[in-house]
Amino acid sequence: QSPSISLSADTKADSSPVVLVTGSGKIGRTGNHVLRDLACHGWRTVIHYAHSEADAHQTLKWLEQQGSSGMALGAELTDKAEVARCLKNIIERYGRLDAVVHTVGNYRHMVHESNVLTTRLLAGSALPYLSKAAHGRFLVFGASGLNRAEVPAIYNQAYFEAKRELLANMRRWARVWIALGVTANMVSPGEMDYSEVERMNLPMGRRVRPEELTRVCRFLLDPDSDSITGQNIEVAGGLNL
């Protein structure tokens, strides 16, 4: 069983919302940026990692320095039992789950499993908890250009088709979940500042900054965003339009 680490006192009486950000253990990557931004804006955060336990420890120390409540959970999200255990640990600590931000999705290996299967397992397991929240939120990550008929040259076919399937699933869930008070949306980033691949001739002349992406995520998770659901918002600087 994967290890779990938590810090600070149990705070079930705290009224601050709780968010699980998958793939947030790796410092410098998308999930970690999103988690830190939400922690700075009053959210109690749950770090998820698969292999980045050391980075998760460092992120927990950072949360503690900010005076923010957090915990870290190791889990393999392609395993239904692991997903259920992860969510159970969150409920045992906080007594609630208000939002899930799912940033996991491999580009080259186990593409369908990491992008589509993990999301389906999370959605099914998290919905009972999210539907009890005052403003339940489920946010997934896509890819720029999903509205195009052809696969953009920067993506491989399997990855792009997996993201298209994820978009269709998200919209189907959104239609059903809105009656439960839960929204489902997608954010599709372009080439980020920390991308390992550098492309020339980007439409806006630079890469997307992390704070541009995290601001959109925070907006979609806001309690005042109840009527925004089933949407895919690109934060890509015109890439793949």
Side-chain angles (χ1 to χ4, degrees):
Q1 191 177 66
S2 302
S4 65
I5 318 109
S6 61
L7 76 123
S8 76
D10 193 352
T11 52
K12 286 185 178 179
D14 193 329
S15 61
S16 301
V18 175
V19 58
L20 164 65
V21 184
T22 67
S24 55
K26 187 69 172 176
I27 293 174
R29 307 304 294 180
T30 297
N32 198 266
H33 282 294
V34 172
L35 180 133
R36 289 173 184 247
D37 178 78
L38 292 172
C40 288
H41 288 84
W43 287 78
R44 290 179 287 171
T45 54
V46 180
I47 306 161
H48 159 263
Y49 65 92
H51 308 291
S52 304
E53 185 174 357
D55 276 8
H57 275 287
Q58 290 187 42
T59 303
L60 282 173
K61 290 180 181 178
W62 179 87
L63 288 171
E64 190 172 29
Q65 291 168 358
Q66 308 305 308
S68 178
S69 176
M71 66 186 297
L73 296 169
E76 174 50 63
L77 299 183
T78 58
D79 184 320
K80 185 176 181 179
E82 286 271 298
V83 172
R85 178 187 61 80
C86 180
L87 296 176
K88 180 181 178 183
N89 286 345
I90 296 170
I91 299 303
E92 287 178 348
R93 175 169 171 77
Y94 291 120
R96 62 189 288 179
L97 178 64
D98 299 86
V100 174
V101 180
H102 186 39
T103 74
V104 170
N106 202 291
Y107 182 76
R108 294 184 178 87
H109 307 292
M110 296 182 66
V111 175
H112 189 272
E113 292 86 349
S114 67
N115 285 278
V116 180
L117 175 61
T118 59
T119 312
R120 189 168 68 242
L121 293 178
L122 267 173
S125 296
L127 181 60
Y129 305 118
L130 297 178
S131 62
K132 294 177 182 177
H135 308 276
R137 302 285 185 261
F138 193 80
L139 183 60
V140 299
F141 273 63
S144 63
L146 291 179
N147 60 315
R148 294 175 57 169
E150 74 281 5
V151 178
I154 66 172
Y155 299 126
N156 65 52
Q157 181 81 27
Y159 180 79
F160 195 71
E161 290 304 325
K163 291 300 187 184
R164 274 184 170 162
E165 183 176 348
L166 181 54
L167 175 61
N169 288 344
M170 179 275 293
R171 285 178 170 158
R172 185 172 66 253
W173 296 330
R175 287 194 293 271
V176 177
W177 293 0
I178 192 62
L180 303 175
V182 180
T183 66
N185 289 290
M186 173 180 279
V187 174
S188 291
E191 185 169 324
M192 302 299 299
D193 262 351
Y194 44 82
S195 174
E196 296 174 357
V197 179
E198 186 169 358
R199 297 182 177 86
M200 304 299 290
N201 302 318
L202 292 172
M204 69 174 174
R206 65 168 176 83
R207 294 177 170 190
V208 178
R209 300 186 182 106
E211 60 268 23
E212 295 175 307
L213 182 65
T214 60
R215 188 183 306 118
V216 173
C217 294
R218 182 163 24 96
F219 165 72
L220 290 171
L221 266 58
D222 191 275
D224 289 333
S225 297
D226 277 337
S227 62
I228 303 172
T229 194
Q231 303 306 304
N232 174 27
I233 299 180
E234 295 199 3
V235 188
L239 186 67
N240 295 324
L241 283 178

